[in-house]
Amino acid sequence: MKKFKRILTKKLSKILIISFLLIVSKSIALENKIILKIDNDIITTLDVFDEKNSLQFFNKNFDQINSEEKYEISLQSIVKTRIKKNEIIKRIGEIKLEDTSYLDIVIKNRYENLGFKDLENFKKELKNKKISYENFEQKLKIDILWNQLIYTLYYNKISINENELKKQIENQKELVTSFKLSEIVFQIDEVNNLNNRYNLIKKDINELGFESAALKYSISNTATTGGDIGWVNENKINKEILEVLNKTTEGTITQPIRIPSGFLILKKNELKKEKKKLNIQEELKKLVNYQTEMQLNNYSNIYFNKIKKDLNIDVL
């Protein structure tokens, strides 16, 4: 990331010129120029323009971000997808799912969350917005295959104490607390920069909203959906983070929390308490799955940064 940021800063004037092109009316044909090269993979102005359209369609708060930042977010999004794609091809050979049933579920969830009742109407609206459904589907395939790759590489490193989790469930009170959460996961070059980075993120949260700030700063997979995690049962949250959340006022954000892949900011959107009759084995299975997913997400960020450091990323 440091290398990439340094290259972008060095070429800032060129980026701003291209950024201007991206906000030209859609009716005007954009000149397709190569702007970035990742090893032998190229990214063009039209790639960034298409990504900007897509991000704008799927994120209601994207319009609140200024043009230059929209450009950088779109570019960073493409870079992340291309790096994942290239690594998958390198290790697996192609972008192809053996079983598409999970992909179908993900697609359905995406269009229903946007208010579409069926796939046909969703595809029509994408076409109206000049967004390629094939590209949308390809990105989801890449994310699924990437997660499968991370699982294969790191599953044997997952550490979960099921006995401790079972005791935690057995000691659970009849009244269960759940949090509706959003997240921003970020990294810094030096620990001394933590306060400055946090204050910058907090400023954008206050001015643009949490969703827009997540798009700008978060390295988590939830960034493209504004950092939304959804409702999380208190039993699924580790003790340190739960203590922080219990001290955080509803509707506000936490201080940065250290995690293996960087730092975490959580927004405590809502809180609810409900009576729940527990099935110990069922709850244990859910908790183990959740803890596994969280650890794999951390490994995903670590692995991504590792392979990115070894790439040649050049602004042209």
Side-chain angles (χ1 to χ4, degrees):
M1 178 66 75
K2 187 175 181 181
K3 179 182 177 184
F4 184 55
K5 289 286 186 182
R6 189 165 59 244
I7 293 170
L8 288 180
T9 302
K10 187 176 180 181
K11 302 291 185 177
L12 182 59
S13 60
K14 187 172 183 179
I15 285 175
L16 292 177
I17 293 171
I18 298 168
S19 177
F20 173 77
L21 292 175
L22 293 174
I23 59 173
V24 176
S25 171
K26 292 180 182 180
S27 62
I28 301 175
L30 290 178
E31 184 179 357
N32 196 20
K33 291 184 177 181
I34 298 172
I35 56 173
L36 199 70
K37 190 174 180 182
I38 306 173
D39 284 345
N40 294 319
D41 196 2
I42 62 171
I43 295 173
T44 71
T45 51
L46 285 182
D47 290 331
V48 182
F49 183 76
D50 290 341
E51 185 69 10
K52 174 177 165 289
N53 269 353
S54 180
L55 288 172
Q56 198 154 316
F57 178 78
F58 286 103
N59 299 275
K60 60 182 180 180
N61 295 290
F62 198 64
D63 277 334
Q64 298 179 24
I65 302 170
N66 68 49
S67 299
E68 289 79 12
E69 289 172 337
K70 282 180 182 178
Y71 169 81
E72 185 173 344
I73 291 169
S74 302
L75 182 56
Q76 294 273 12
S77 177
I78 295 173
V79 168
K80 189 171 186 178
T81 299
R82 293 288 180 88
I83 291 174
K84 287 181 176 181
K85 175 187 172 184
N86 293 342
E87 185 67 10
I88 291 166
I89 291 173
K90 177 182 173 183
R91 288 187 168 267
I92 300 175
E94 59 181 336
I95 306 298
K96 183 180 179 181
L97 297 173
E98 297 298 328
D99 181 2
T100 61
S101 56
Y102 180 66
L103 174 64
D104 294 337
I105 293 171
V106 174
I107 291 173
K108 185 178 181 182
N109 287 339
R110 291 296 294 273
Y111 70 67
E112 285 184 344
N113 287 338
L114 290 168
F116 294 94
K117 295 182 179 180
D118 54 59
L119 182 59
E120 183 180 352
N121 284 324
F122 174 63
K123 285 183 176 180
K124 284 181 180 178
E125 187 60 21
L126 287 180
K127 188 175 181 180
N128 289 337
K129 299 293 185 181
K130 302 188 186 313
I131 299 170
S132 166
Y133 176 79
E134 289 71 25
N135 287 347
F136 161 75
E137 188 179 62
Q138 180 81 340
K139 287 178 194 174
L140 294 181
K141 287 180 182 178
I142 290 170
D143 283 339
I144 292 170
L145 289 169
W146 174 264
N147 290 337
Q148 290 175 359
L149 174 61
I150 297 301
Y151 182 89
T152 301
L153 293 173
Y154 292 101
Y155 183 72
N156 62 349
K157 294 187 177 182
I158 298 297
S159 176
I160 294 176
N161 188 328
E162 291 195 21
N163 289 329
E164 185 177 317
L165 294 181
K166 189 174 181 179
K167 287 179 183 178
Q168 185 178 324
I169 295 169
E170 289 172 342
N171 293 332
Q172 181 174 308
K173 299 175 183 177
E174 185 179 344
L175 199 61
V176 180
T177 300
S178 295
F179 303 94
K180 189 176 183 182
L181 302 173
S182 299
E183 67 173 357
I184 293 175
V185 178
F186 67 97
Q187 296 173 327
I188 52 175
D189 297 328
E190 297 177 8
V191 177
N192 293 338
N193 296 331
L194 178 58
N195 285 336
N196 289 338
R197 189 67 167 172
Y198 176 65
N199 288 332
L200 182 62
I201 294 172
K202 186 164 65 172
K203 179 176 179 291
D204 275 356
I205 289 172
N206 292 333
E207 293 179 357
L208 304 175
F210 193 93
E211 294 83 359
S212 297
L215 269 172
K216 285 181 64 174
Y217 299 106
S218 185
I219 62 170
S220 170
N221 289 335
T222 60
T224 55
T225 54
D228 180 53
I229 298 175
W231 286 101
V232 182
N233 186 299
E234 63 182 336
N235 286 324
K236 294 182 179 180
I237 304 170
N238 71 44
K239 292 179 182 178
E240 292 77 11
I241 294 179
L242 184 58
E243 285 181 10
V244 174
L245 283 173
N246 284 331
K247 295 176 183 177
T248 303
T249 306
E250 192 171 333
T252 63
I253 63 172
T254 66
Q255 292 289 319
I257 303 167
R258 191 73 170 95
I259 59 175
S261 59
F263 291 89
L264 169 70
I265 297 172
L266 288 171
K267 182 181 178 185
K268 184 176 173 182
N269 297 303
E270 295 180 50
L271 177 148
K272 65 180 179 182
K273 295 178 181 289
E274 54 188 352
K275 290 185 177 181
K276 194 172 183 180
K277 189 175 181 179
L278 297 177
N279 179 313
I280 301 296
Q281 290 305 315
E282 184 179 319
E283 291 300 316
L284 178 61
K285 183 179 178 181
K286 289 179 182 178
L287 192 50
V288 168
N289 288 340
Y290 182 80
Q291 295 284 355
T292 300
E293 183 181 352
M294 292 301 100
Q295 291 186 40
L296 287 173
N297 283 340
N298 282 324
Y299 281 124
S300 174
N301 290 328
I302 291 168
Y303 184 70
F304 179 84
N305 288 327
K306 178 183 175 182
I307 62 174
K308 186 176 181 181
K309 286 178 182 177
D310 295 331
L311 294 172
N312 292 317
I313 301 177
D314 299 310
V315 175
L316 302 176

